Amino acid sequence: MAMRIDTTVLRDMKAFGAFDISACFNCGNCTAVCPLSQDSVAFPRRMIRYAQLGQKDDVVASRELWLCYYCAECSDTCPRQAEPGEFMAAARRYAIAGFDPTTIARRLYRSATFTWSLLAVVFTALLVILLAGSPGWPTGRVTSEALLTFVPYETIHWLGIGVGVAAVTLAVVTTVNMLWAISRAPAPGGLGLPARQAEVFPLAAALRALRTTLVEVVGHSRYRDCDTEKPAPPAPLPVRRWFVHYSIMTGMIGLALATALDYFFKTPGSYVPIWSPARLLGTVAGALLVYGATVAVVQRLRKADKYSSYSLLSDWLFLVFLWAIGVTGFVLELADYATLSSWVGVVFVVHIALAMELILLLPFTKLAHIVYRPIAIWFTEFRRLRATSA
Ligand code: SF4
Ligand code: SF4
């Protein structure tokens, strides 16, 4: 019986990125030149084939999507200009939408009107809640204490808990969907397990895979491999893509830690010297975040490389959110050490609303890769270790 090809999948995927794999004639060059593809875990050609054949579930369930760091080596050497690197990026967005049962992610990627409307509604709702219990605009010299009177600490506290619970609930649902999909996907490169062994959960392999995952996340080793493959002369370290990504990642983690330290160990609104550990951590992390987001925005504006050339609205918004949260955070830090007037109240409430909106939208945006990528790395390594020890 002839196999039916579902052409709607490829048409649908095109809304998620600027590629043209209908031009692909399956030469395999992209997989051959990919610095991260291996015999056991080969990409991107297999994913391209899935999309060409309309195998939507196989595209979404491919762990390999998350092993690609978009160095664009494959796109540069594709004889058909099919843009396989951009295809992988689009497939990641497609997968994020596929794991989301609310369809919010899908609409965010496909509709600018929906994106702006959702952002405006959520932002306005957060502002209204934050300002509902405000006794009025701060006056005179505005300190941290005055800001927490302007927007009462209890309001921020309970709204933060509500946003956190909503974001974690959504993240758990989407992550379970992702795990369900990738665990049922065929093992790459024929690394299947004998049925008897597949029933056993080998702890040693799981722990070794976890170590590999942590090394990759903390050291960005594969990301650096991807970057160094680029033609000479290599870009200076401060503007290398892995380094910019590393700045943003460590900046976000540092800010989350500094916020947690403040939450548990600092009296709300109290003065802290600039050299206190939590404040120093927040300052350094904020600088890394603003630096990374600024360079990334400039690279996208300049279309510095293939990766930066194809920017969706979601890419811009993500970077602008990070940049704005970092810069407004610095302004608020000044409130403890400089004389600021009432305008800083606007900065305060905008900073909180932006940070909460970013957290709330995490499962629907590219930020979801902070969960999906480590899971895919762990799963791939775990399956490899089990198969090779069979
Ligand atoms: S290099 Fe281009 S044409 Fe060849 S398989 Fe990859 S995407 Fe297709
Ligand atoms: S963009 Fe780079 S890492 Fe991704 S598939 Fe292409 S060559 Fe491999």
Side-chain angles (χ1 to χ4, degrees):
M1 197 172 74
M3 184 179 169
R4 262 193 94 223
I5 294 176
D6 183 356
T7 52
T8 60
V9 173
L10 193 47
R11 271 207 305 275
D12 192 22
M13 286 186 73
K14 283 190 174 165
F16 291 77
F19 60 88
D20 181 20
I21 58 160
S22 44
C24 163
F25 58 4
N26 265 295
C27 66
N29 204 34
C30 47
T31 297
V33 298
C34 173
L36 302 180
S37 182
Q38 300 160 356
D39 286 347
S40 57
V41 193
F43 56 93
R45 189 177 67 136
R46 196 150 55 88
M47 282 89 258
I48 291 171
R49 197 78 187 127
Y50 288 152
Q52 286 174 326
L53 295 176
Q55 295 171 228
K56 176 184 172 182
D57 292 345
D58 290 327
V59 173
V60 169
S62 295
R63 298 190 279 282
E64 296 89 329
L65 296 180
W66 307 100
L67 306 182
C68 158
Y69 285 94
Y70 201 166
C71 62
E73 202 72 24
C74 52
S75 291
D76 288 342
T77 51
C78 171
R80 306 282 296 193
Q81 288 79 49
E83 303 293 353
E86 179 59 17
F87 165 80
M88 291 294 271
R92 282 190 289 276
R93 298 176 194 124
Y94 192 63
I96 289 172
F99 303 139
D100 165 29
T102 70
T103 72
I104 290 174
R106 180 175 173 80
R107 293 181 208 200
L108 281 174
Y109 282 123
R110 292 171 59 97
S111 165
T113 309
F114 178 82
T115 303
W116 287 115
S117 306
L118 182 73
L119 289 183
V121 167
V122 174
F123 188 73
T124 308
L126 289 168
L127 283 186
V128 168
I129 296 170
L130 286 168
L131 295 174
S134 173
W137 206 245
T139 52
R141 179 174 181 263
V142 180
T143 59
S144 295
E145 194 177 3
L147 289 172
L148 286 177
T149 305
F150 167 52
V151 181
Y153 175 76
E154 282 67 30
T155 306
I156 301 171
H157 176 76
W158 289 112
L159 184 59
I161 287 180
V163 165
V165 168
V168 168
T169 306
L170 289 165
V172 167
V173 171
T174 51
T175 303
V176 166
N177 285 342
M178 189 258 190
L179 277 168
W180 177 252
I182 69 167
S183 62
R184 290 163 61 86
L191 287 181
L193 298 173
R196 186 175 47 79
Q197 194 190 351
E199 290 163 10
V200 186
F201 186 82
L203 187 61
L207 292 176
R208 281 179 62 191
L210 183 61
R211 190 182 62 185
T212 303
T213 308
L214 289 175
V215 166
E216 168 56 18
V217 171
V218 175
H220 270 38
S221 51
R222 286 165 51 87
Y223 209 148
R224 280 185 282 145
D225 284 350
C226 205
D227 247 6
T228 50
E229 290 281 329
K230 300 302 285 178
L237 181 66
V239 293
R240 287 242 190 105
R241 212 156 61 74
W242 76 265
F243 186 80
V244 173
H245 183 268
Y246 204 76
S247 301
I248 293 174
M249 184 190 81
T250 48
M252 288 176 71
I253 293 171
L255 283 177
L257 275 176
T259 306
L261 287 172
D262 273 359
Y263 180 76
F264 288 112
F265 300 111
K266 179 174 173 283
T267 307
S270 62
Y271 170 85
V272 285
I274 202 161
W275 57 83
S276 75
R279 185 48 59 92
L280 272 179
L281 175 63
T283 306
V284 172
L288 284 169
L289 181 67
V290 172
Y291 168 77
T294 305
V295 175
V297 166
V298 170
Q299 286 177 334
R300 283 188 184 274
L301 284 172
R302 290 182 52 228
K303 299 184 189 281
D305 50 29
K306 215 144 218 159
Y307 169 78
S308 311
S309 301
Y310 299 114
S311 301
L312 298 192
L313 177 61
S314 55
D315 298 317
W316 288 113
L317 287 173
F318 176 61
L319 289 172
V320 168
F321 259 70
L322 294 181
W323 188 87
I325 290 168
V327 169
T328 50
F330 272 122
V331 174
L332 294 174
E333 190 174 334
L334 283 178
D336 270 338
Y337 313 108
T339 304
L340 301 180
S341 53
S342 55
W343 59 266
V344 80
V346 178
V347 177
F348 184 55
V349 80
V350 166
H351 175 81
I352 299 171
L354 285 179
M356 288 186 177
E357 186 159 22
L358 186 70
I359 292 169
L360 208 47
L361 296 180
L362 184 151
F364 312 121
T365 62
K366 104 188 255 179
L367 202 50
H369 80 273
I370 64 175
V371 177
Y372 296 154
R373 197 185 291 278
I375 288 177
I377 295 171
W378 180 87
F379 219 96
T380 305
E381 181 65 0
F382 176 67
R383 294 290 290 260
R384 188 188 69 78
L385 288 170
R386 287 196 70 192
T388 51
S389 67

